[in-house]
Amino acid sequence: MLGRTAQNLFWLSRYIERAENVARMFEVGYRMSLTSRREGGASEHLVSMLQAAEADEGFNLKHKQADVQSVAHYMLFDEENYSSVKSCLLAARTNARSVRTALTTEMWESINSAWLEFSAIRPRDISGAKLQELLFWVKQVSHRYRGALLSTFLRDAGYAFSQIGNFVERADNTARILDMKYYVLLPRATMVGGDVDIQQWTMILRAASAHRSYRHVYHDRYKAWNIADYLILRPEMPRSLIFCVQWINRTIDMLEEIYGERTAGHDAADAVTALVMDASVDRIFEHGLHEFLTEFIDRNNRMTDALAESYNFY
């Protein structure tokens, strides 16, 4: 497979997943801001969401205050924000057009129709209930594309690059969602275990579509220890770090079988895998959850760079 085609398929999946993840992160910040909005000042939860998404610097250059309207516009519609939902959907469609003949009809139509629908939305009309509806719609767009890919795409190198792109992006997002709560939003000692703390952890689980399944596994109230364990180390949880890492390894092994060689990308993937597989929730909290998540994001990025160099895409 040409490096350009591999690159387009990798980033196509990443951008679709990123659009969903931006919607998830914004929803967390938005819902948290409703629980403790400071009168006359910027919402600390929306600011924290921007920081976790590494979008705060760009936002601050354009806006003086982080209110719901300005943050929603920046994260959903601002084309100068390369991680906004609009930017992600446009980039996904551009990549899809570049490899149109490599995609199935269902995959292309899911992307193209999503872009056309989103383009018809007027940002000034999106507030309140319509904002919630839009966030749900963005997640559904991602699910439709994933469903089309898994149901119709040939299991070849293109499939492998698509899967790697998806799970690299998903792992990065899960790490950032966790980091948003426990580091950027680290509560005061008096808040730990209180109603606000529990509400925030509940929203973190909702952002990862893990709210109900968590209760099936733990049969317990929301505890930081258990939630970190669930979103990092539980292999049956499809947005956990270990689940994503296992899928990345599976598809990298698939590339090794197809091309008949092991690359630097495999070694970089092994480094990510070792960090997660050697971890326990006790050691993670002893070392520091923020420090663990930062190291994971860094290794995940280094793996992406190594894969890009190994297969000639950037």
Side-chain angles (χ1 to χ4, degrees):
M1 174 175 286
L2 295 175
R4 175 70 64 175
T5 301
Q7 170 183 302
N8 289 137
L9 290 170
F10 174 85
W11 281 105
L12 167 54
S13 278
R14 281 203 75 167
Y15 280 123
I16 289 292
E17 181 72 20
R18 185 175 298 179
E20 176 185 356
N21 293 336
V22 167
R24 288 177 180 276
M25 288 195 73
F26 175 74
E27 185 173 22
V28 172
Y30 172 64
R31 287 182 179 273
M32 285 182 175
S33 73
L34 297 179
T35 65
S36 57
R37 185 169 302 180
R38 294 179 179 177
E39 188 160 342
S43 165
E44 61 180 358
H45 301 298
L46 291 171
V47 171
S48 298
M49 183 276 300
L50 290 166
Q51 291 172 335
E54 295 187 357
D56 53 315
E57 291 186 9
F59 177 85
N60 291 334
L61 290 174
K62 305 186 71 171
H63 302 278
K64 294 182 179 180
Q65 181 173 316
D67 53 33
V68 171
Q69 183 178 4
S70 60
V71 175
H73 184 273
Y74 188 73
M75 296 303 292
L76 300 179
F77 298 103
D78 195 326
E79 294 182 51
E80 294 181 10
N81 173 14
Y82 296 128
S83 291
S84 71
V85 169
K86 185 173 186 177
S87 294
C88 289
L89 292 179
L90 177 58
R93 185 173 183 267
T94 301
N95 278 279
R97 289 183 66 182
S98 298
V99 289
R100 176 67 184 87
T101 57
L103 302 179
T104 65
T105 300
E106 290 82 359
M107 292 167 68
W108 164 252
E109 287 182 351
S110 70
I111 296 169
N112 192 50
S113 62
W115 171 250
L116 294 175
E117 287 181 50
F118 190 86
S119 299
I121 296 172
R122 295 185 300 179
R124 65 177 179 271
D125 294 338
I126 302 301
S127 62
K130 288 187 177 180
L131 176 58
Q132 294 287 346
E133 291 173 5
L134 177 59
L135 296 175
F136 178 78
W137 177 85
V138 173
K139 289 183 279 187
Q140 292 298 105
V141 165
S142 177
H143 297 165
R144 285 198 296 269
Y145 175 75
R146 288 286 298 163
L149 185 153
L150 294 174
S151 300
T152 66
F153 205 27
L154 189 67
R155 267 42 175 184
D156 58 5
Y159 170 82
F161 286 116
S162 296
Q163 287 289 73
I164 292 170
N166 180 82
F167 286 107
V168 162
E169 187 68 32
R170 182 176 296 183
D172 180 87
N173 180 254
T174 296
R176 291 181 186 279
I177 284 178
L178 263 175
D179 205 32
M180 177 182 170
K181 170 63 178 83
Y182 207 79
Y183 179 71
V184 182
L185 292 176
L186 186 66
R188 295 180 295 275
T190 55
M191 292 173 60
V192 175
D195 290 342
V196 173
D197 190 44
I198 291 172
Q199 286 176 358
Q200 290 177 350
W201 278 118
T202 303
M203 291 172 193
I204 292 296
L205 287 170
R206 288 186 185 278
S209 294
H211 178 244
R212 292 190 178 182
S213 60
Y214 172 89
R215 300 302 293 267
H216 286 294
V217 173
Y218 293 95
H219 306 288
D220 200 355
R221 64 180 297 178
Y222 303 112
K223 297 178 180 178
W225 217 267
N226 288 345
I227 292 171
D229 177 65
Y230 194 49
L231 295 181
I232 296 173
L233 301 174
R234 297 298 295 230
E236 67 271 39
M237 201 279 142
R239 301 191 73 87
S240 72
L241 299 189
I242 197 168
F243 183 94
C244 294
V245 164
Q246 288 175 340
W247 260 102
I248 291 168
N249 275 283
R250 214 170 282 149
T251 46
I252 288 179
D253 289 343
M254 183 178 174
L255 290 176
E256 183 177 3
E257 291 180 10
I258 292 170
Y259 292 110
E261 62 177 352
R262 181 181 175 86
T263 70
H266 290 76
D267 297 330
D270 286 344
V272 182
T273 303
L275 178 66
V276 179
M277 297 300 291
D278 295 341
S280 69
V281 71
D282 291 337
R283 287 198 295 272
I284 289 172
F285 274 86
E286 182 179 353
H287 176 64
L289 180 59
H290 169 67
E291 288 72 19
F292 174 85
L293 295 171
T294 300
E295 177 65 17
F296 178 87
I297 291 170
D298 182 60
R299 292 194 190 190
N300 198 43
N301 289 336
R302 291 204 299 267
M303 176 186 65
T304 302
D305 292 339
L307 287 168
E309 185 174 354
S310 298
Y311 295 102
N312 299 314
F313 68 85
Y314 295 92

